[in-house]
C-alpha cells in the first residue's frame, strides 16, 4: 500500500509530546491553543475564500439579471435560492459523508482509499442528480404551491431547465472538494475558484449585456463556470496524483455502496434540515397580510446572513478536517483541543459580527433599497439578524465536529426536533397567532437554532474522545481495510 509522509505527522505528534520536557499547565495549554489555531487558519482561510468565490458566481449572475428586467431578476433569484438552493443543500449533504471517511482514512494513513471513496460518492451523487431532475422540470407548479406568482414561477421554471447542467456539476464537484479538503489541499480550490470567478464576471458581461443573450447567456455562463471549477480541480488531481490518493478509476467504487448510501443520506438529512430551515423564513413571511415590505426586508437580511455564512462554512470545513484527521490518527486529545480552539475563535468572530450588525442597522438597509418602509422594516429585523450571525459563530462549527466524528444520524434527529418540532411552530405562533409578523416568525425560528446549539454543546462536551478515536479506527478498517489491501 502506498503511503504518504503527511499523515504520519499526525501519528508522530504523540511521540513528540512524550519526548517533550514537562511544562507548566498554563504554558502547555497556551502552546496547544497556539499550534491548533495555526493549523485551523491554514485550512479555514482558503476554505472561506473558496466559499465566497463560489457563492459569488450565483450572486453575480443575479446582479446582471437585475439589469435586464424585474421578471428576469426574480426568475434568477427564485431559481438560485429555491430550486438550485434545494439541490445544492441536498447534494452538499450527500457529499459530506466524504468528510468523515476521507478525513479519517487520511489520518489513519490509508491514502489510496481516498480516491475510491470519492468515486463511490460520484456514483451516488450522479444518481441523486438524475432523481432530482423532475424538481427542475416541474418547478413552476411547485413554486406556485409555495406562494410564488404565476409569472415569476413560469420564468423561474424556464431558467431552471436551462440550469440542469449545474445540478450535475454539483454532483461531481462536492466529492472532489471533500477529497481535497481531507488532505488539506485547499489552496488549489481557492485558486481555481478565484480564476473562474474572474472568467465568470467577464463572460456574464459579454453574453448578458454586450451580446444581449439575456437569461440564455446567464445560464450558459453560470453552467460553464461551475463546470470550469470541476475541470480545474480534476486536472490538478489527475496531474499530481495527490501524493497517491488518486490512482485512476477503480471498480472498487462500486463495492460497499449500500453502507456508503446510508452514511450519505444521514449526512444529507442533517445538512439539509439546517440549510433549508432559514430558507423557509422567506416562504412563511410571504404568507403574512401585505407581505411585500416584510419579504423585501427579510431578503435583505438573508443576503447579509448569506455572506456571513460563508465564514461559518469555512470553519465548518476546517474543524471537520481537523477532527476527522486526528480521530483517524488516534489522537483523541488533539481532536478535543481542535474543538475548543475553533469554538473559541468562531465565537469571537460571531461577537464582532453581532456588534457590526447592531452598529450599522440604521445604515446598511440603504445599500440594498431606496424604499423608506423597507429600510425601516429591515432596521427592525436587524436585531434578529444580529443574533443569527452570533449563533453562526458556533452552530455550524458544532455541525462540522459532528461530520468529522461521524455523528450525522444523531444530529439529524436533533435537527428535526429543534428546528421543525420546536422552532418552526414557535415562529408560526409568534408571527401569526400573536401578530408579531416577520419579527415573530424569525424570533421563533431563532429559538430552534438556540435549542439545537445548546443540545450540540452538551453532546460534544459529554463525548468520550478516546472512544471516538477507537470508533474512527474501526470505521477505517470496516470501510477501507480489506479493500485497501486488494488495491
Amino acid at each position: 500500500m502506498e503511503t504518504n509522509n503527511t499523515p504520519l505527522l499526525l501519528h508522530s505528534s504523540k511521540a513528540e509530546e512524550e519526548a517533550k520536557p514537562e511544562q507548566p499547565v498554563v504554558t502547555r495549554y497556551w502552546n496547544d491553543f497556539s499550534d491548533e489555531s495555526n493549523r485551523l487558519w491554514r485550512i479555514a482561510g482558503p476554505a472561506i475564500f473558496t466559499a465566497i468565490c463560489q457563492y459569488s458566481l450565483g450572486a453575480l449572475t443575479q446582479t446582471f439579471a437585475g439589469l435586464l428586467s424585474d421578471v428576469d431578476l426574480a426568475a434568477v433569484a427564485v431559481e438560485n435560492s429555491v430550486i438550485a438552493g434545494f439541490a445544492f443543500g441536498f447534494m452538499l449533504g450527500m457529499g459530506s459523508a466524504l468528510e468523515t471517511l476521507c478525513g479519517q482514512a487520511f489520518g489513519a494513513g490509508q491514502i489510496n482509499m481516498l480516491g475510491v471513496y470519492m468515486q463511490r460518492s460520484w456514483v451516488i451523487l450522479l444518481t441523486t442528480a438524475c432523481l432530482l431532475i423532475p424538481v427542475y422540470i416541474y418547478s413552476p407548479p411547485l413554486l406556485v404551491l409555495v406562494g410564488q406568482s404565476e409569472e415569476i414561477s413560469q420564468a423561474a421554471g424556464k431558467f431552471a431547465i436551462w440550469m440542469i447542467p449545474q445540478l450535475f456539476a454539483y454532483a461531481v464537484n462536492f466529492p472532489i472538494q471533500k477529497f481535497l479538503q481531507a488532505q488539506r489541499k485547499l489552496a488549489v480550490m481557492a485558486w481555481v475558484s478565484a480564476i473562474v470567478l474572474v472568467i465568470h464576471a467577464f463572460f456574464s458581461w459579454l453574453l448578458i449585456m454586450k451580446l444581449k443573450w439575456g437569461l440564455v447567456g446567464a445560464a450558459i455562463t453560470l453552467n460553464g463556470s461551475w463546470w470550469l471549477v470541476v475541470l480545474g480541480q480534476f486536472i490538478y488531481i489527475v496531474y499530481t496524483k495527490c501524493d497517491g490518493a488518486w490512482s485512476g478509476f477503480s471498480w472498487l467504487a462500486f463495492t460497499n455502496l449500500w453502507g456508503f448510501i446510508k452514511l450519505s443520506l444521514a449526512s444529507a438529512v442533517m445538512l439539509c434540515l439546517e440549510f433549508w430551515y432559514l430558507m423557509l423564513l422567506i416562504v412563511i413571511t410571504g404568507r403574512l397580510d401585505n407581505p411585500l415590505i416584510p419579504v423585501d426586508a427579510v431578503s435583505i437580511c438573508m443576503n447579509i446572513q448569506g455572506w456571513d455564512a460563508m465564514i461559518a462554512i469555512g470553519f465548518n470545513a476546517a474543524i471537520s478536517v481537523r477532527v476527522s484527521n486526528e480521530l483517524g490518527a488516534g489522537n483523541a486529545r488533539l481532536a478535543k483541543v481542535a474543538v475548543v480552539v475553533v469554538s473559541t475563535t468562531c465565537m469571537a468572530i460571531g461577537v464582532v459580527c453581532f456588534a457590526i450588525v447592531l452598529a450599522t442597522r440604521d445604515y446598511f438597509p440603504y445599500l440594498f433599497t431606496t424604499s423608506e418602509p423597507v429600510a425601516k422594516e429591515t432596521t427592525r429585523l436587524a436585531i434578529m439578524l444580529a443574533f443569527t450571525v452570533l449563533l453562526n459563530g458556533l452552530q455550524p462549527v458544532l455541525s462540522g465536529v459532528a461530520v468529522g466524528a461521524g455523528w450525522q444520524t444523531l444530529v439529524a434527529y436533533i435537527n428535526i426536533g429543534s428546528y421543525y418540532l420546536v422552532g418552526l411552530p414557535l415562529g408560526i405562533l409568534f408571527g401569526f397567532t400573536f401578530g408579531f409578523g416577520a419579527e415573530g416568525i424569525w424570533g421563533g425560528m431563532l429559538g430552534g437554532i438556540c435549542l439545537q446549539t445548546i443540545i450540540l454543546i452538551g453532546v460534544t462536551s459529554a463525548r468520550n474522545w478516546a472512544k471516538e478515536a477507537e470508533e474512527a479506527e474501526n470505521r477505517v478498517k470496516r470501510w477501507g481495510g480489506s479493500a485497501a489491501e486488494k488495491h
Side-chain angles (χ1 to χ4, degrees), residues 209-256:
M209 307 306 300
K210 186 72 174 176
L211 299 180
K212 308 293 184 184
W213 287 13
L215 290 189
V216 174
I220 291 172
T221 307
L222 192 52
N223 283 321
S225 295
W226 272 100
W227 277 104
L228 276 178
V229 169
V230 171
L231 186 62
Q233 292 172 152
F234 186 66
I235 288 173
Y236 170 83
I237 290 170
V238 172
Y239 180 73
T240 64
K241 307 294 184 187
C242 285
D243 305 315
W246 174 261
S247 54
F249 294 98
S250 170
W251 288 108
L252 288 174
F254 295 93
T255 62
N256 205 6

Side-chain angles (χ1 to χ4, degrees), residues 199-477:
I199 294 171
H200 179 78
F202 171 74
F203 279 98
S204 293
W205 168 81
L206 178 66
L207 298 185
I208 299 173
M209 307 306 300
K210 186 72 174 176
L211 299 180
K212 308 293 184 184
W213 287 13
L215 290 189
V216 174
I220 291 172
T221 307
L222 192 52
N223 283 321
S225 295
W226 272 100
W227 277 104
L228 276 178
V229 169
V230 171
L231 186 62
Q233 292 172 152
F234 186 66
I235 288 173
Y236 170 83
I237 290 170
V238 172
Y239 180 73
T240 64
K241 307 294 184 187
C242 285
D243 305 315
W246 174 261
S247 54
F249 294 98
S250 170
W251 288 108
L252 288 174
F254 295 93
T255 62
N256 205 6
L257 277 178
W258 176 239
F260 210 99
I261 288 170
K262 286 194 292 184
L263 184 60
S264 296
L265 285 173
S267 299
V269 171
M270 177 192 133
L271 269 95
C272 288
L273 290 174
E274 294 182 5
F275 195 82
W276 297 333
Y277 184 56
L278 282 178
M279 286 174 56
L280 286 172
L281 179 58
I282 295 179
V283 174
I284 297 172
T285 303
R287 298 290 183 179
L288 292 169
D289 295 330
N290 303 315
L292 185 59
I293 290 174
V295 166
D296 284 349
V298 169
S299 297
I300 290 171
C301 290
M302 286 296 99
N303 198 321
I304 299 291
Q305 193 271 339
W307 289 106
D308 178 73
M310 294 305 104
I311 300 174
I313 286 173
F315 281 106
N316 177 289
I319 191 57
S320 177
V321 170
R322 290 295 302 128
V323 167
S324 60
N325 281 179
E326 296 297 356
L327 289 180
N331 295 331
R333 190 184 70 81
L334 289 180
K336 191 173 182 178
V337 169
V339 174
V340 172
V341 172
V342 77
S343 300
T344 305
T345 303
C346 291
M347 278 306 297
I349 293 173
V351 169
V352 172
C353 293
F354 174 86
I356 290 173
V357 169
L358 288 184
T360 62
R361 67 184 183 276
D362 292 322
Y363 309 103
F364 78 76
Y366 294 99
L367 296 174
F368 301 91
T369 184
T370 56
S371 168
E372 194 66 32
V374 171
K376 286 183 177 178
E377 181 68 12
T378 305
T379 298
R380 287 178 57 212
L381 290 175
I383 295 175
M384 298 299 169
L385 174 62
F387 280 103
T388 301
V389 299
L390 177 64
L391 287 173
N392 269 354
L394 184 59
Q395 184 272 336
V397 167
L398 296 174
S399 295
V401 173
V403 171
W407 308 337
Q408 286 94 329
T409 302
L410 171 64
V411 179
Y413 286 119
I414 293 172
N415 288 351
I416 290 171
S418 301
Y419 290 163
Y420 298 93
L421 298 182
V422 176
L424 199 56
L426 275 179
I428 294 171
L429 184 68
F430 290 147
F432 294 90
T433 305
F434 294 156
F436 292 123
E439 285 180 288
I441 296 170
W442 199 338
M445 295 177 73
L446 202 57
I449 299 175
C450 288
L451 177 61
Q452 187 244 25
T453 304
I454 291 168
I455 293 173
L456 284 181
I457 290 172
V459 168
T460 305
S461 302
R463 285 285 167 165
N464 183 328
W465 287 93
K467 190 175 179 181
E468 292 297 328
E470 290 177 14
E471 176 59 31
E473 183 181 358
N474 293 334
R475 185 181 291 115
V476 169
K477 289 177 181 177

Side-chain angles (χ1 to χ4, degrees), residues 13 15-23 31-32 35:
S13 60
E16 288 172 4
E17 286 178 9
E18 292 173 2
K20 287 178 182 176
E22 189 67 29
Q23 296 176 321
N31 288 339
D32 284 346
D35 291 344

Side-chain angles (χ1 to χ4, degrees), residues 127-147:
T127 303
T128 303
C130 293
L131 296 176
L132 287 175
I133 287 176
V135 174
Y136 281 67
I137 294 175
Y138 298 107
S139 55
L142 293 174
L143 290 170
V144 170
L145 190 65
V146 298

